[in-house]
Amino acid sequence: MATPEEVIRLQLAVRARGVTDLRVLMAMERVDRARFLSETFAARAYEDVPLPIAGGQTISQPSIVGQMTQALDVQPRDKVLEVGTGTGYQAAVLSHLARRVYTVERHRALTRAAQVNHQALGLSNITQITADGSFGLPEQAPFDRILVTAAAEDPPGPLLAQLRIGGSMVVPVGVSDHVQTLIKVTRTDGGYEYDELSPVRFVPLVEGVEHD
Ligand code: SAH
């Protein structure tokens, strides 16, 4: 468990990086990030840095989770799709803001870890699925909000197609190992509007599923 000082320190770091939406800050405060890390890294859970998880992947930096969640502007009735579950930290934050969260991960071992973590926290409005998330989740579409936590060269077409009209998607775009740009895509009656948000760095969106 975090000490009160660690919790406040992390909240200050997240706020210093532009996260001011109270609903987002409160949702983040309700999620103990140490739960989503192995024993080796749990002690560093309250530092504002990305850290290693299984499968050569990373748990996102808290301030980035905050910025992406704030940009997504989740509403209480929303059905949200997350692509790139990892161990489930971002999905847990979303679960406090949305009606229902579907989260898709290509590493089966990570999907399982996320399931265990969410169950232990009593988060019952999250469904974890092993699949290639670049194809979205056609059987549950359309979504009010889509959050992609791995970088694509372009926003994947199936995800654009699975956005509800009036809905929006936040996705890092660009080639991995270079600076990527976080963008927000909003689906309108007539098409899609694109806004550039900030430079970011994510692991790449990779094709296919790993049955590890
Ligand atoms: N959202 C996570 C961050 C995970 S890092 C958190 O809250 O900490 C990005 C994740 O995206 C990795 O676990 C990686 O395996 C996954 N990923 C990459 N390509 C994917 C794809 N095509 N479909 C589903 N998941 C993918």
Side-chain angles (χ1 to χ4, degrees):
M1 271 310 277
T3 65
E5 191 190 344
E6 280 175 323
V7 171
I8 290 170
R9 206 188 284 278
L10 182 57
Q11 285 268 325
L12 287 174
V14 170
R15 285 167 56 178
R17 295 204 172 241
V19 182
T20 52
D21 185 328
L22 265 185
R23 287 181 313 143
V24 174
L25 291 167
M26 286 168 72
M28 289 186 73
E29 199 175 340
R30 291 172 72 180
V31 180
D32 183 0
R33 188 170 180 248
R35 288 266 191 175
F36 299 86
L37 286 160
S38 64
E39 252 177 65
T40 320
F41 294 104
R44 300 187 58 195
Y46 310 103
E47 294 176 28
D48 189 26
V49 291
L51 291 166
I53 55 172
Q57 305 301 317
T58 53
I59 186 169
S60 299
Q61 185 175 343
S63 58
I64 297 290
V65 168
Q67 287 173 10
M68 289 176 92
T69 308
Q70 179 166 281
L72 202 60
D73 190 25
V74 180
Q75 301 300 309
R77 300 299 305 158
D78 282 355
K79 180 162 70 164
V80 180
L81 172 66
E82 182 199 21
V83 175
T85 313
T87 54
Y89 175 53
Q90 169 77 72
V93 173
L94 291 171
S95 81
H96 289 299
L97 297 164
R99 176 172 57 88
R100 176 112 223 126
V101 178
Y102 293 88
T103 183
V104 181
E105 168 60 52
R106 64 183 292 278
H107 283 277
R108 193 175 297 280
L110 286 172
T111 309
R112 286 216 194 90
Q115 253 158 4
V116 170
N117 293 338
H118 293 152
Q119 215 159 34
L121 293 171
L123 303 174
S124 56
N125 63 339
I126 312 177
T127 306
Q128 310 82 356
I129 298 136
T130 304
D132 181 343
S134 38
F135 297 104
L137 215 52
E139 60 276 25
Q140 298 297 342
F143 296 96
D144 302 289
R145 299 286 186 270
I146 299 178
L147 182 56
V148 186
T149 66
E153 279 187 36
D154 293 299
L159 297 183
L160 291 171
Q162 289 171 32
L163 263 185
R164 194 188 295 287
I165 292 173
S168 50
M169 165 161 70
V170 171
V171 51
V173 292
V175 184
S176 63
D177 288 339
H178 288 72
V179 175
Q180 305 144 1
T181 306
L182 194 64
I183 64 164
K184 180 171 181 174
V185 185
T186 305
R187 185 167 191 178
T188 64
D189 273 336
Y192 297 89
E193 281 171 11
Y194 295 79
D195 286 310
E196 287 192 10
L197 302 178
S198 56
V200 283
R201 193 159 178 173
F202 276 86
V203 297
L205 195 69
V206 177
E207 278 178 26
V209 168
E210 298 281 346
H211 300 276
D212 43 8

